[in-house]
């Protein structure tokens, strides 16, 4: 009878240890999932912010392009250059600089 009680006590301790280990694993899994969810939200917010910044920069570039065209229009009128919508010929940029005045197909 004593041996059975000792075996029963050992089995009970083993069960308690396994339950505690299972609970710890469930908590760890929950923590990992919560962490992933937080990272996804941060990533989504960062992406949204970057898209907003890109849109603002595009608008700014468009305004600067319009302003540059306004500033160059009187110059072309004085020099007699035709205004075909693309300044300085078909290259569409400032001569000798490689700097385009219009946004290309990358937009």
């Amino acid at each position: 009878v004593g041996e059975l009680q000792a075996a029963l006590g050992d089995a009970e301790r083993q069960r308690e240890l396994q339950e505690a280990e299972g609970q710890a694993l469930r908590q760890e899994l929950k923590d990992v999932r919560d962490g992933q969810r937080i990272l996804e939200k941060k990533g989504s917010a960062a992406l949204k912010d970057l898209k907003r910044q890109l849109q603002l920069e595009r608008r700014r570039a468009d305004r600067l392009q319009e302003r540059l065209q306004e500033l160059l229009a009187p110059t072309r009128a004085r020099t007699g250059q035709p205004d075909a919508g693309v300044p300085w010929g078909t290259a569409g940029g400032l001569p000798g600089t490689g700097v385009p005045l219009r946004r290309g197909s990358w937009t």
Side-chain angles (χ1 to χ4, degrees):
V1 175
E3 289 179 19
L4 286 176
Q5 286 180 341
L8 184 59
D10 288 342
E12 182 66 25
R13 283 188 290 281
Q14 285 286 48
R15 185 184 64 79
E16 289 172 0
L17 287 174
Q18 287 177 350
E19 283 181 10
E21 185 179 348
Q23 181 61 31
L25 290 173
R26 282 189 291 275
Q27 183 62 42
E28 184 179 348
L29 178 61
K30 181 186 178 298
D31 293 345
V32 167
R33 285 182 178 163
D34 290 346
Q36 286 176 331
R37 195 173 303 120
I38 289 169
L39 288 175
E40 287 172 2
K41 286 181 181 181
K42 284 183 180 180
S44 177
L47 179 62
K48 184 178 178 180
D49 185 52
L50 287 173
K51 285 181 178 181
R52 182 188 59 79
Q53 288 179 18
L54 177 61
Q55 187 64 28
L56 290 173
E57 286 299 317
R58 283 184 175 163
R59 286 187 204 139
R60 181 177 173 266
D62 288 343
R63 286 193 305 268
L64 288 172
Q65 177 67 37
E66 289 171 8
R67 180 69 177 136
L68 182 59
Q69 294 299 326
E70 289 171 6
L71 292 173
L72 291 176
T75 304
R76 281 193 294 256
R78 282 194 305 262
T79 61
Q81 285 183 334
D83 184 11
V86 179
W88 297 293
T90 59
L94 296 173
T97 64
V99 177
L101 290 178
R102 295 186 183 270
R103 289 188 302 168
S105 61
W106 56 269
T107 57

